[in-house]
Amino acid sequence: MAKILIAGCGYVGEALANLLLADGHEVWGLRRNPRSLRAGIEIIAADLAQPEDLRDLPGGLDVVFYLVSPNGSEDALYRRAYVDGLRGLVAALHLQRQKPRLLFASSTAVYDQSDGEWVDESSETAPDHWSGKRLLEGEQIALQALPSASVIRFGGIYGPRRTSLIDSVRSGRAVYRSDPPQYTNRIHRDDCAGALRHLMGLENPESIYLGVDNEPAEKRAVLLWLAGVMGSPEPRAVDKKEASKRSRGNKRCRNARLVQSGYTFCYPTFREGYSAVLEGMV
Ligand SMILES: NC(=O)c1ccc[n+]([C@@H]2O[C@H](COP(=O)([O-])OP(=O)(O)OC[C@H]3O[C@@H](n4cnc5c(N)ncnc54)[C@H](OP(=O)(O)O)[C@@H]3O)[C@@H](O)[C@H]2O)c1
């Protein structure tokens, strides 16, 4: 049985906690407002960016997951979530002479590729936007702080209650660009949790993994598939200028490293994943 801290115990964190508790581990969930966390998780109400909140971390931690998200789209909030919070946690662990295994959730936003190129863990990361820059700073802090740390770069996370794409198709707001094709890299929440649990169990993990499903898909294909399944009106094609107002970057993320490490996806593509989400909505 391992002693595990989930820092930023939110959407993915709770799903991960469910898996770890079922495996018989001891799990602490840390967030600023932890009222709603399920029974079985030991609750820590703390702000990671406030050092005084981290004085009493549980001792003897084997693994720490850092799954914090900013609660808004501003550089200062990203810095607080991915840089200041992580620095605060690393400093607290250091002071308490704890050297757990650290798993840091990052994002495919660290890639700036925009011509539909394939990217993997060895591809260039030169983000132009502050969001990718702060994520990359967080990755570097994690990897430098603890030699056994790993980073997993998730694509767009969807699942129960995270249904923005479904809602946009249903309401007729969904649009896509077809020339050049626009790709979307996605992963179901349960595969985020499953992949994190899997990485925790690897003896010699790599330092970076891409966390996306098996099929980077054209956004057009995903929207048309959803519209077909739900009987909604066909989403609209828009020109490049209109589409670029709504999304940054355009790449296809390869998950071969994660798959070769032994992880099997619950939802290998958007079809299985969204079918399960839609079933849960009826
Ligand atoms: N959502 C996506 O599509 C996506 C894509 C790529 C990568 N990711 C990454 O995947 C991970 C999991 O995402 P998620 O959707 O599960 O995140 P989430 O639920 O939106 O947020 C995670 C938790 O972070 C906590 N938090 C934020 N700031 C904090 C602070 N200063 N101190 C303590 N706790 C703090 C929040 O709780 P309180 O507000 O109660 O503190 C929240 O419960 C994140 O690292 C995210 O960056 C997400």
Side-chain angles (χ1 to χ4, degrees):
M1 186 181 75
K3 292 178 89 169
I4 299 168
L5 172 66
I6 301 176
C9 194
Y11 187 62
V12 171
E14 272 208 89
L16 174 63
N18 286 338
L19 297 180
L20 298 174
L21 288 169
D23 289 345
H25 298 300
E26 227 175 314
V27 180
W28 280 264
L30 182 153
R31 57 189 287 180
R32 290 164 300 188
N33 303 298
R35 275 186 301 271
S36 61
L37 287 180
R38 62 155 272 184
I41 303 175
E42 307 274 350
I43 289 175
I44 304 176
D47 183 341
L48 288 153
Q50 297 291 340
E52 63 278 11
D53 282 6
L54 303 177
R55 283 196 196 116
D56 296 316
L57 293 176
L61 289 168
D62 300 295
V63 183
V64 172
F65 292 95
Y66 194 89
L67 310 182
V68 176
S69 269
N71 51 349
S73 192
E74 274 172 40
D75 192 1
L77 295 174
Y78 269 61
R79 188 185 294 282
R80 191 176 173 88
Y82 296 114
V83 179
D84 301 341
L86 181 59
R87 276 213 183 100
L89 181 59
V90 163
L93 290 168
H94 186 71
L95 265 179
Q96 295 164 28
R97 296 182 202 289
Q98 300 210 55
K99 286 192 181 163
R101 176 96 203 283
L102 174 65
L103 283 124
F104 174 79
S106 179
S107 156
T108 56
V110 297
Y111 297 107
D112 215 28
Q113 287 79 342
S114 56
D115 292 323
E117 305 91 314
W118 281 94
V119 298
D120 66 14
E121 293 81 356
S122 65
S123 302
E124 183 188 41
T125 49
D128 199 30
H129 193 263
W130 47 260
S131 57
K133 288 184 182 173
R134 297 308 151 240
L135 283 153
L136 213 48
E137 265 181 85
E139 289 189 5
Q140 281 151 9
I141 293 167
L143 294 173
Q144 281 162 16
L146 292 156
S148 61
S150 292
V151 164
I152 180 160
R153 294 173 178 159
F154 288 127
I157 300 172
Y158 68 95
R161 306 184 311 283
R162 284 269 173 102
T163 53
S164 56
L165 212 59
I166 292 176
D167 302 340
S168 72
V169 171
R170 197 164 263 155
S171 66
R173 280 181 289 111
V175 295
Y176 64 86
R177 185 190 78 203
S178 55
D179 184 25
Q182 188 185 0
Y183 293 98
T184 165
N185 301 275
R186 315 190 72 77
I187 181 166
H188 189 285
R189 175 202 64 184
D190 294 352
D191 279 312
C192 295
L196 287 163
R197 173 175 67 169
H198 164 77
L199 293 180
M200 166 186 144
L202 292 183
E203 276 208 10
N204 294 304
E206 303 278 353
S207 45
I208 300 178
Y209 291 86
L210 263 169
V212 294
D213 72 18
N214 293 343
E215 187 182 322
E218 266 193 61
K219 188 173 175 197
R220 171 178 175 276
V222 181
L223 296 180
L224 290 178
W225 182 86
L226 278 172
V229 170
M230 298 193 297
S232 302
E234 264 200 19
R236 199 163 50 86
V238 293
D239 62 20
K240 194 173 174 183
K241 196 169 154 212
E242 170 77 19
S244 65
K245 278 191 226 153
R246 301 169 191 241
S247 66
R248 273 190 306 277
N250 189 26
K251 70 257 174 185
R252 282 175 276 179
C253 298
R254 188 175 278 126
N255 68 6
R257 179 177 283 180
L258 181 61
V259 171
Q260 278 157 18
S261 76
Y263 183 66
T264 305
F265 277 81
C266 312
Y267 303 106
T269 76
F270 68 88
R271 292 176 205 82
E272 295 83 10
Y274 277 115
S275 296
V277 177
L278 288 168
E279 263 169 45
M281 287 171 91
V282 282

